[in-house]
DNA sequence: GCAAAAGTGTTGTCCTTACACCCATGC
DNA sequence: GCATGGGTGTAAGGACAACACTTTTGC
C-alpha cells in the first residue's frame, strides 16, 4: 500500500510527519499560472487575450490565467487554463519563467508561473466570447493589465529564440503546410525577411519534411507542394550540439 | 503618497481592495527556492551540497534551499540563500525552472523555483561547515534527497546549453585567467575535448579578451598569458542572432 | 495575357576542422 | 636535459549569403 502511494504521488519516499511540520511552518503564497497562447493568422503572430475582469484594469488586456489549485501541478494547471479557453488538449505548452515581484498584483502578493502555448489557429474554434476573448497581433499591443505586457515581451523573446532551435513553428501550422506558410511563420516571429531559396534549401537539407503528395488548392497562383513534418525522425536525430557562439 | 507606494511596490497601479478579496480566495502554497551553486576546481565542475536535515533523507545530499519569505521576491530569496551559504554577493544567478510535482516533498505540497549560480571557487571561503556543506563533482553524484537529483540534472543541462551562448564560463574563473583554464572549463562542462588551437582562435576572433600583461606564476611549465574578459564590449556587441538550426 | 507566387543552382565568402612543430619554464 | 604545457598557421571542406529566370495556376 505504501508502495502504491509512492507511485501515485510521484516521489520515491512517502509522506513524513516531521517534514510536514517543517513545511507547515513555511509562509504560504497564492500561485497562478498565466498562459501566453500564440497562434499564426493572416501572416501575423497573434496572442489570445481577454479583457481584465478587475475594475481597476477595466478595458485593459490580460493574459489567460487562473489560480493554481491546492494539489495541482503547475503543468496541469496550465493545461487546464488552455482547455478551458480553447477547448484544446495536447497542445504545445512549455514553462517559460516564474514572476514574483512584490507588488506585481494589486490584490497583494501573487506569484505566477508563465507558460507559452502554440496552437494552430485553423484547428481552433473559440469556445465562448466571454469578456471579449480575442486574438491580437503581438506587435500591436501597447499596454496590458498587471505586469502582463512585460510578461508578454518576455515570452515573445523566448519564442524568437526557441523557434530557431526547435521545430516549434510547426505547432502553429496545420498538419500539411506549404514552404511559403512555414517561411511566413519564421518571418513574422523573427520580424525579418528571409531569402526564399536559402530558406527552402535549409529545410530540404534537414531532411525532416515529408512530401504529402498534395498541393495547395484554391490559391490564385501556382499551387505549392504540401509537406508534413517528420517528428519521428526529428526525435531520433536531435543533435548534441557543441559550438561556442556569443 | 499613492504615487510613492506605486514605485515602492513596483507596479503602476496601487493596492486594490476588490483585487485583494479575489486573491484571498486563492489557495496558498508553500514556496521554496533551491540554488544549484556551481564552481570549478581541479578541472572538474563542482556543485555545493549539504546533508539533508530531514531524518528521512539522513546522509543524503540536498541542494541549498530555503523557504521564500512572505513578502520576498524569488530572486531576492535566491540571493539570500547564496549569501547565507557562501557569504558572497553579486554572484551570477539565474532562474532556471519551477518544479511543482505533487509529492515531490514528503512534507506535503511544496513548489520550488530553482536558480543556478556560478561562482569562482578561489574567491570563496566557505563560511561554516554545518551539515557537511561541501563541494561535489557533478558527474559523481548518484542519489540525492527529494527530487534534487532530477533538478541537478536539469540545471546541468541548462548550464551546458547556456555556456555556449553566453560567457558564463568567465563567472567560474578568477578575474585574470589563462586560455588553458578557460578551455578546461568548457571541456569539463561540455564533457568533451576541444582542439586547443581552434579554441584559442575562436576566442581571439571574438575580440573579447583583454591581455592583462601578466603571466601565470609558479607553474611547472612555460607560463601562459593571463587575460580578462571585456564585459563592456560584450554588452555592446550582443548580437541579434538569426540562424535556424535543429 | 497578366498577376502572383512556386520552383530551382551557382558562386564567393566565411567559418570550422584537422593537424605538427618549436618555445619557455621548473625541476 | 627533460617534462610540461604555451604558442602559432595553413589548407580543405562545409555552411551561408547573394542573386534571376522560368513555371504554373486563377482570373
Amino acid at each position: 500500500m505504501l508502495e502504491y502511494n509512492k507511485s501515485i504521488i510521484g516521489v520515491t519516499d512517502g509522506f513524513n510527519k516531521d517534514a510536514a511540520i517543517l513545511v507547515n511552518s513555511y509562509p504560504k503564497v497564492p500561485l497562478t499560472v498565466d498562459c501566453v497562447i500564440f497562434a499564426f493568422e493572416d501572416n501575423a503572430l497573434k496572442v489570445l487575450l481577454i479583457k481584465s475582469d478587475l475594475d481597476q484594469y477595466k478595458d485593459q488586456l490580460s493574459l489567460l490565467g487562473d489560480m493554481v489549485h491546492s494539489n495541482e501541478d503547475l503543468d496541469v494547471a496550465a493545461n487546464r487554463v488552455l482547455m478551458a479557453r480553447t477547448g484544446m488538449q495536447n497542445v504545445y505548452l512549455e514553462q517559460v519563467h516564474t514572476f514574483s515581484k512584490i507588488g506585481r498584483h494589486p490584490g497583494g502578493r501573487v506569484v505566477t508561473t508563465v507558460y507559452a502555448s502554440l496552437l494552430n489557429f485553423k484547428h481552433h474554434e473559440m469556445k465562448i466570447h466571454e469578456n471579449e476573448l480575442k486574438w491580437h497581433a503581438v506587435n500591436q499591443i501597447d499596454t496590458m493589465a498587471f505586469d502582463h505586457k512585460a510578461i508578454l515581451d518576455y515570452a515573445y523573446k523566448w519564442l524568437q529564440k526557441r523557434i530557431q532551435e526547435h521545430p516549434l513553428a510547426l505547432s502553429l501550422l496545420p498538419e500539411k503546410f506549404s514552404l511559403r506558410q512555414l517561411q511566413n511563420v519564421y518571418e513574422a516571429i523573427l520580424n525579418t525577411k528571409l531569402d526564399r531559396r536559402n530558406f527552402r534549401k535549409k529545410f530540404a537539407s534537414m531532411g525532416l519534411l515529408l512530401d504529402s503528395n498534395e498541393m495547395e488548392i484554391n490559391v490564385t497562383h501556382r499551387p505549392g507542394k504540401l509537406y508534413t513534418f517528420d517528428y519521428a525522425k526529428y526525435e531520433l536525430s536531435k543533435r548534441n550540439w557543441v559550438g561556442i557562439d556569443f
Side-chain angles (χ1 to χ4, degrees), chain A:
Chain A
M1 187 58 187
L2 180 59
E3 288 302 311
Y4 178 72
N5 274 336
K6 282 181 190 175
S7 63
I8 287 289
I9 62 175
V11 90
T12 49
D13 312 87
F15 182 83
N16 176 287
K17 200 176 160 195
D18 290 339
I21 290 169
L22 179 68
V23 168
N24 258 306
S25 75
Y26 293 173
K28 295 195 176 84
V29 176
L31 290 189
T32 59
V33 289
D34 282 296
C35 292
V36 184
I37 304 174
F38 290 112
F40 185 71
E41 188 204 17
D42 298 334
N43 282 350
L45 183 68
K46 304 281 176 90
V47 59
L48 190 59
L49 301 176
I50 201 169
K51 288 270 169 78
S52 173
D53 46 9
L54 284 183
D55 275 352
Q56 177 173 8
Y57 289 122
K58 194 160 155 29
D59 294 328
Q60 288 196 52
L61 295 168
S62 167
L63 296 171
L64 299 176
D66 194 14
M67 69 176 90
V68 176
H69 292 162
S70 284
N71 262 288
E72 190 179 39
D73 189 294
L74 293 172
D75 294 9
V76 172
N79 271 297
R80 174 171 55 75
V81 167
L82 201 55
M83 178 68 189
R85 298 303 191 169
T86 69
M88 293 180 77
Q89 270 175 318
N90 303 321
V91 164
Y92 188 92
L93 186 72
E94 195 175 337
Q95 189 189 116
V96 172
H97 197 78
T98 299
F99 293 83
S100 65
K101 194 184 274 182
I102 305 303
R104 57 169 295 279
H105 193 296
R109 211 279 165 92
V110 179
V111 170
T112 193
T113 299
V114 173
Y115 284 78
S117 179
L118 307 184
L119 55 85
N120 169 13
F121 195 86
K122 280 292 190 293
H123 281 173
H124 168 74
E125 292 301 324
M126 200 84 70
K127 291 190 79 176
I128 324 170
H129 286 264
E130 52 177 339
N131 274 20
E132 308 188 43
L133 182 65
K134 271 190 207 157
W135 294 102
H136 297 259
V138 167
N139 52 27
Q140 284 171 25
I141 296 164
D142 45 353
T143 59
M144 294 178 70
F146 309 102
D147 54 354
H148 285 188
K149 182 57 164 65
I151 291 177
L152 174 61
D153 290 345
Y154 191 100
Y156 181 40
K157 278 192 186 135
W158 172 92
L159 176 61
Q160 290 185 315
K161 184 160 182 290
R162 272 290 186 284
I163 200 179
Q164 299 184 55
E165 301 170 346
H166 299 283
L168 298 199
L170 288 309
S171 302
L172 293 164
L173 290 172
E175 195 195 348
K176 293 171 184 172
F177 54 89
S178 67
L179 283 167
R180 164 57 52 190
Q181 286 177 291
L182 186 60
Q183 186 175 341
N184 284 345
V185 170
Y186 277 93
E187 291 186 341
I189 293 176
L190 299 178
N191 195 29
T192 187
K193 288 285 166 197
L194 300 169
D195 180 272
R196 188 158 51 98
R197 277 173 290 189
N198 292 336
F199 183 86
R200 298 164 91 92
K201 254 181 302 181
K202 179 76 193 176
F203 271 88
S205 73
M206 287 182 194
L208 295 174
L209 296 183
L210 297 173
D211 189 337
S212 74
N213 293 316
E214 294 180 44
M215 309 286 277
E216 289 177 296
I217 50 173
N218 294 329
V219 288
T220 173
H221 55 77
R222 172 173 175 179
K225 280 190 180 180
L226 297 179
Y227 296 87
T228 61
F229 187 75
D230 192 342
Y231 282 101
K233 186 168 175 193
Y234 169 68
E235 289 299 329
L236 290 174
S237 68
K238 273 180 186 168
R239 67 212 186 90
N240 250 353
W241 203 69
V242 178
I244 300 156
D245 216 354
F246 50 83

